[in-house]
C-alpha cells in the first residue's frame, strides 16, 4: 500500500503518478484523481501568476494526517498527494490527489475529503499577481463549509 506525500517546487508527470498508483495493484477496481491548476481569474480579478509558500515539515505532517483520516473513513488502497510551492504560471499544475480503492464510491469520497481538508488545514499561503498588484488570498468560507460536511 502506497501513502505518498510530496511537497515540491518542480512540476509532476500526471501519467507517471497514475502508473505508480496502479503498479502491481490488482486488488483495487477504482482510481480517482484530481489535479488543481492555476486559473486566469479569481474573485473578479485577472490573475497573472500565483505564488505559494508553505511551512516545510509541518505541511507534510498535515497532509499525512489528512490521508490517515481518509483511511479511517473509507477502505482505500494507494494514496498520493503532491502539492507544489513557488511561483506558478497560468495553467500550471498546483496539486495532485490520487486514490485507489476496491469500489468507486470510497475513492470518490476520499479524494474529495482530502482536497476539502487540504484547502482548510494544510499550511499553504497563496499570493496572486493581478492587474491591481499582488494580494494574499484569504481562506474562503465556502472551503470551510465544504470541509465541515465530513
Amino acid at each position: 500500500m502506497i501513502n505518498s506525500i510530496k511537497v515540491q517546487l518542480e512540476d509532476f508527470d500526471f501519467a507517471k503518478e497514475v502508473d505508480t498508483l496502479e503498479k502491481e495493484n490488482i486488488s483495487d477496481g477504482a482510481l480517482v484523481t484530481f489535479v488543481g491548476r492555476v486559473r486566469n481569474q479569481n474573485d473578479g480579478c485577472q490573475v497573472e501568476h500565483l505564488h505559494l509558500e508553505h511551512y516545510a515539515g509541518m505541511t507534510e505532517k498535515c497532509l499525512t494526517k489528512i490521508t490517515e483520516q481518509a483511511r479511517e473513513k473509507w477502505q482505500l488502497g494507494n494514496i498520493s498527494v503532491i502539492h507544489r510551492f513557488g511561483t506558478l504560471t497560468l495553467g500550471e499544475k498546483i496539486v495532485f490527489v490520487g486514490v485507489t480503492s476496491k469500489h468507486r464510491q470510497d475513492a470518490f469520497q476520499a479524494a474529495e475529503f482530502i482536497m476539502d481538508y487540504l484547502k482548510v488545514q494544510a499550511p499553504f499561503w497563496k499570493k496572486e499577481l493581478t492587474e491591481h498588484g499582488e494580494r494574499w488570498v484569504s481562506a474562503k468560507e465556502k472551503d470551510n463549509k465544504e470541509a465541515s460536511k465530513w
Side-chain angles (χ1 to χ4, degrees):
M1 184 170 15
I2 296 171
N3 200 57
S4 176
I5 305 294
K6 298 176 191 169
V7 180
Q8 62 191 44
L9 190 60
E10 62 275 359
D11 195 7
F12 53 87
D13 181 333
F14 176 80
K16 184 177 176 183
E17 296 305 321
V18 170
D19 286 345
T20 300
L21 289 168
E22 292 179 326
K23 188 177 180 182
E24 299 178 22
N25 181 353
I26 57 172
S27 62
D28 290 333
L31 167 63
V32 170
T33 61
F34 172 82
V35 174
R37 301 173 54 225
V38 179
R39 62 179 183 269
N40 65 354
Q41 292 193 359
N42 189 32
D43 293 333
C45 292
Q46 287 292 120
V47 175
E48 296 178 19
H49 72 253
L50 182 65
H51 183 79
L52 289 151
E53 295 181 11
H54 75 106
Y55 189 161
M58 179 182 269
T59 305
E60 292 83 351
K61 287 180 185 175
C62 181
L63 295 176
T64 299
K65 183 178 176 185
I66 291 169
T67 60
E68 290 170 353
Q69 289 173 311
R71 286 193 186 284
E72 291 172 8
K73 291 180 172 286
W74 297 281
Q75 292 184 353
L76 304 175
N78 297 329
I79 301 174
S80 176
V81 177
I82 302 171
H83 205 298
R84 296 180 62 201
F85 64 92
T87 300
L88 304 175
T89 59
L90 298 179
E92 279 197 79
K93 297 183 291 280
I94 304 167
V95 61
F96 172 87
V97 173
V99 177
T100 70
S101 67
K102 292 186 183 343
H103 305 287
R104 63 186 157 97
Q105 200 66 27
D106 284 356
F108 275 121
Q109 289 182 346
E112 188 175 4
F113 170 87
I114 290 168
M115 272 310 304
D116 285 346
Y117 269 62
L118 188 155
K119 296 270 296 186
V120 299
Q121 292 188 351
F124 286 100
W125 295 272
K126 293 182 188 177
K127 185 168 52 176
E128 293 175 334
L129 176 62
T130 72
E131 73 267 30
H132 305 295
E134 291 183 343
R135 67 179 184 182
W136 289 100
V137 178
S138 302
K140 296 180 178 164
E141 185 57 36
K142 178 185 169 208
D143 295 331
N144 288 320
K145 187 176 177 183
E146 291 294 320
S148 70
K149 72 183 178 192
W150 302 106

